[in-house]
């Protein structure tokens, strides 16, 4: 075998070894926690939730996030004049009606979120549940997006 062939096979062996090592490391490393898992762990630590209640809250969160994903898809499909141009320029819907529809979708999402938070608080020890609602509800009740919609939609007379 000539020196070029030996160098070629050595280079090929090094490349294959590096690729194999890369794949082994990728498959054996721990999977980082998702933002939802991080949030649940924070909730457990911050509010000192007992294991039994934590498991119920985790199950409740799982169900809620399925509904949440559905609501997000509904919001994405909605005509959202404040965020994106209409996909159908010949739409017969007036801007005011589109804003009202978008406001209704956002308010429905908000109502579902508030109810979910109240359900979570009900599973916590009462003092911790009250503190949780006191800490969290002000952050979610008046999101800037909904405040903007409320200021642009005039009430019906």
């Amino acid at each position: 075998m000539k020196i070029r062939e030996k160098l070629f096979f050595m280079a090929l062996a090094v490349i294959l070894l590096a690729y194999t090592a890369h794949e082994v490391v990728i498959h054996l490393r721990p999977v980082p926690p998702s933002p939802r898992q991080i949030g649940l762990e924070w909730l457990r630590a911050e509010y000192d939730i007992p294991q039994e209640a934590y498991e119920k809250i985790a199950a409740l969160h799982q169900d809620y996030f399925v509904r949440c994903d559905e609501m997000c898809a509904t919001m994405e499909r909605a005509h959202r004049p404040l965020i994106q141009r209409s996909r159908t320029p010949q739409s017969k819907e007036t801007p005011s009606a589109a804003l009202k529809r978008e406001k209704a979708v956002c308010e429905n999402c908000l109502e579902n979120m508030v109810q979910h938070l109240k359900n979570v608080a009900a599973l916590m020890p009462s003092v911790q549940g009250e503190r949780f609602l006191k800490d969290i509800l002000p952050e979610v009740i008046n999101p800037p997006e909904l405040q903007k919609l409320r200021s642009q939609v005039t009430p019906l007379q």
Side-chain angles (χ1 to χ4, degrees):
M1 222 189 301
K2 295 182 182 178
I3 191 134
R4 282 187 174 177
E5 291 173 343
K6 287 181 182 179
L7 287 175
F8 172 75
F9 287 118
M10 284 179 56
L12 185 61
V14 167
I15 290 170
L16 287 173
L17 183 62
Y19 177 76
T20 303
H22 174 266
E23 290 299 310
V24 167
V25 168
I26 291 295
H27 291 294
L28 293 180
R29 72 178 178 179
V31 176
S34 71
R36 291 176 184 172
Q37 291 169 326
I38 292 170
L40 281 171
E41 287 302 321
W42 170 83
L43 189 69
R44 180 200 315 231
E46 179 68 23
Y47 296 98
D48 195 29
I49 299 172
Q51 182 63 29
E52 183 180 322
Y54 175 79
E55 289 170 3
K56 289 177 183 176
I57 289 170
L60 192 65
H61 263 41
Q62 184 67 28
D63 293 341
Y64 171 73
F65 281 116
V66 169
R67 287 194 331 267
C68 184
D69 289 343
E70 291 169 1
M71 287 183 285
C72 287
T74 300
M75 291 171 89
E76 183 65 31
R77 286 189 305 267
H79 173 244
R80 299 180 44 130
L82 298 178
I83 297 173
Q84 66 187 23
R85 296 248 184 244
S86 172
R87 293 189 176 141
T88 56
Q90 296 83 14
S91 175
K92 296 178 182 176
E93 187 174 45
T94 65
S96 176
L99 285 170
K100 287 178 184 175
R101 189 165 46 82
E102 183 178 356
K103 178 181 174 243
V105 169
C106 288
E107 286 178 339
N108 180 42
C109 180
L110 182 62
E111 288 170 9
N112 278 288
M113 185 187 314
V114 169
Q115 186 57 51
H116 170 69
L117 295 173
K118 288 179 179 178
N119 292 344
V120 167
L123 293 172
M124 296 177 166
S126 63
V127 173
Q128 297 294 32
E130 290 171 15
R131 183 171 74 93
F132 170 72
L133 290 177
K134 183 181 168 200
D135 292 345
I136 299 296
L137 281 182
E139 296 291 325
V140 298
I141 287 181
N142 286 310
E145 297 87 356
L146 192 53
Q147 288 176 6
K148 189 173 184 179
L149 283 170
R150 285 180 178 149
S151 69
Q152 292 182 352
V153 175
T154 57
L156 295 174
Q157 318 220 328

